[in-house]
């Protein structure tokens, strides 16, 4: 072996040792967060968590993951900061307009005969999805008999969702999505604006229930006619996905509707428990029996 090859081998060994050490530190960090706070991220995809851990360490100039854990365990406010980092908040109103168009055409007709409608937006982040649903149901004449439950593991996200205000600079994108989702009305009719925010009319919130709920640890909160859990499961490993699929299935009424994200697929045995209602838009109906 040449000197150069020996040096490369040593570098490779060092890199592997550092990777193994980081994996141990992440295990300890997630276990520490769970024991200290009850928030369970142990079955989240590590690649996603590592990006958030690295970003927090860079922002606060923390040298090691172990040092991050030490600070989180001894500073309650910092623990909240780390937990908030792990909460996924990528969302927008009428995100994936084709989905909302399909919902309007395929799901709304199935809801009309119900005396009351219960819908769960699981992992709602800062609330854009539930406000989109509220607008869609209002235009379909169904909001008056609907109750929409919006939950997220992040207390901070839920508090933001309750306010019903979104940055005015995002309204152009939201309006474009809204129109592509099949509406022919004026999106601006649903909010008033100041220099910074669009404030959505409070009549919609009369039909919303906002609550903190952790899909990784908490139980079902009701029986629903529709559940939306979109772009959430992609951050979980297969063990946690199985748990969540069971929770969602148990929370659906007979023939209830389940909507997933565009990149989310059923794990066995749950695939056989649903029929495709709008497969290209990831909308399924629970089979009876």
């Amino acid at each position: 072996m040449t000197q150069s090859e020996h040096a490369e081998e040593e570098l490779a060994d060092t890199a592997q040792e550092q990777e193994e050490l980081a994996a141990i530190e992440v295990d300890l960090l997630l276990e520490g967060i769970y024991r200290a706070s009850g928030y369970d991220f142990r079955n989240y995809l590590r690649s996603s968590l590592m990006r958030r851990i690295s970003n927090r360490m860079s922002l606060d100039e923390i040298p090691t993951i172990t040092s991050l854990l030490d600070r989180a365990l001894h500073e309650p406010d910092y623990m909240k900061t780390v937990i908030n980092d792990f909460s996924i908040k990528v969302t927008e109103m009428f995100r994936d307009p084709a989905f909302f168009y399909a919902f309007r055409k395929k799901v709304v007709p199935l809801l009309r005969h119900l005396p009351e409608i219960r819908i769960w937006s699981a992992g709602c982040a800062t609330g854009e999805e539930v406000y989109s649903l509220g607008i869609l149901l209002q235009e379909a004449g169904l909001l008056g008999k609907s109750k929409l439950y919006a939950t997220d593991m992040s207390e901070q996200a839920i508090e933001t969702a309750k306010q019903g205000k979104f940055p005015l600079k995002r309204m152009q994108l939201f309006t474009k999505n809204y129109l592509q989702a099949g509406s022919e009305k004026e999106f601006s009719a649903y909010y008033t604006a100041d220099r910074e925010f669009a404030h959505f009319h409070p009549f919609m919130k009369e039909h919303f229930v906002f609550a903190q709920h952790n899909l990784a640890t908490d139980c079902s909160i009701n029986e629903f006619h529709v559940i939306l859990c979109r772009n959430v499961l992609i951050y979980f490993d297969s063990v946690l996905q199985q748990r969540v699929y069971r929770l969602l299935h148990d929370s659906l009424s007979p023939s209830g509707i389940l909507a997933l994200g565009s990149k989310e697929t059923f794990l066995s045995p749950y695939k056989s428990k649903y029929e495709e209602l709008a497969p290209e838009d990831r909308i399924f109906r629970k089979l009876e029996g």
Side-chain angles (χ1 to χ4, degrees):
M1 180 181 294
T2 66
Q3 184 175 0
S4 176
E5 289 173 335
H6 183 69
E8 289 180 3
E9 186 175 305
E10 286 187 338
L11 285 173
D13 289 342
T14 300
Q16 183 176 351
E17 290 173 0
Q18 291 176 340
E19 187 175 327
E20 291 173 351
L21 178 60
I24 293 171
E25 286 187 298
V26 171
D27 285 343
L28 293 173
L29 172 64
L30 301 182
E31 186 68 29
I33 290 173
Y34 175 61
R35 293 194 182 191
S37 70
Y39 284 92
D40 192 353
F41 299 100
R42 295 174 297 178
N43 291 108
Y44 277 54
L45 287 181
R46 294 306 171 89
S47 57
S48 176
L49 288 179
M50 277 305 303
R51 289 193 294 270
R52 289 165 174 75
I53 292 169
S54 297
N55 182 62
R56 177 52 53 190
M57 291 171 63
S58 176
L59 287 172
D60 296 340
E61 299 182 345
I62 295 177
T64 65
I65 298 173
T66 300
S67 300
L68 179 69
L69 172 60
D70 182 69
R71 184 170 176 184
L73 290 176
H74 292 93
E75 299 180 28
D77 286 342
Y78 198 72
M79 174 68 82
K80 292 179 181 179
T81 297
V82 174
I83 290 170
N84 190 55
D85 285 342
F86 290 172
S87 175
I88 312 302
K89 306 180 189 66
V90 181
T91 186
E92 61 192 46
M93 292 195 73
F94 293 92
R95 184 182 183 185
D96 301 325
F99 163 80
F100 283 94
Y101 183 84
F103 191 98
R104 189 189 301 269
K105 298 298 182 180
K106 300 288 184 69
V107 178
V108 165
L110 301 177
L111 303 178
R112 292 195 180 280
H113 73 281
L114 297 174
E116 61 174 354
I117 302 168
R118 295 184 302 278
I119 298 177
W120 181 15
S121 173
C124 71
T126 46
E128 284 86 340
E129 181 175 78
V130 73
Y131 283 90
S132 301
L133 284 170
I135 290 171
L136 190 154
L137 292 170
Q138 171 69 10
E139 293 181 354
L142 298 178
L143 185 60
K145 63 174 182 177
S146 299
K147 185 70 72 174
L148 287 76
Y149 295 75
T151 68
D152 197 88
M153 59 148 285
S154 169
E155 183 178 1
Q156 180 178 334
I158 288 296
E159 289 305 313
T160 299
K162 287 179 180 179
Q163 295 178 33
K165 66 177 187 180
F166 304 106
L168 192 61
K169 61 184 179 182
R170 304 198 73 194
M171 286 304 109
Q172 184 175 358
L173 170 62
F174 293 175
T175 300
K176 179 181 177 182
N177 289 349
Y178 167 74
L179 294 173
Q180 290 179 348
S183 180
E184 299 177 353
K185 299 182 182 297
E186 291 290 332
F187 187 53
S188 59
Y190 293 101
Y191 63 84
T192 58
D194 57 28
R195 291 185 177 182
E196 292 186 67
F197 294 100
H199 302 263
F200 280 77
H201 293 320
F203 78 87
M204 284 194 295
K205 288 193 286 186
E206 296 174 5
H207 303 277
F208 298 166
V209 176
F210 293 101
Q212 190 175 8
H213 180 275
N214 192 334
L215 289 168
T217 55
D218 294 339
C219 299
S220 177
I221 57 174
N222 209 323
E223 182 178 81
F224 299 95
H225 302 105
V226 180
I227 298 178
L228 292 87
C229 188
R230 303 171 64 230
N231 306 303
V232 177
L233 290 156
I234 54 174
Y235 298 102
F236 301 160
D237 68 14
S238 60
V239 174
L240 184 51
Q241 285 182 4
Q242 286 280 10
R243 182 199 190 278
V244 176
Y245 275 124
R246 182 170 61 251
L247 172 66
L248 299 178
H249 188 267
D250 292 346
S251 301
L252 273 175
S253 63
S255 300
I257 304 299
L258 175 63
L260 302 176
S262 59
K263 297 180 180 178
E264 292 165 336
T265 57
F266 283 112
L267 297 178
S268 181
Y270 290 96
K271 184 176 182 179
S272 63
K273 297 179 182 293
Y274 295 87
E275 64 176 332
E276 296 179 335
L277 193 63
E280 65 280 5
D281 298 297
R282 316 303 296 147
I283 301 175
F284 306 89
R285 180 158 53 184
K286 180 180 178 180
L287 294 172
E288 296 187 36

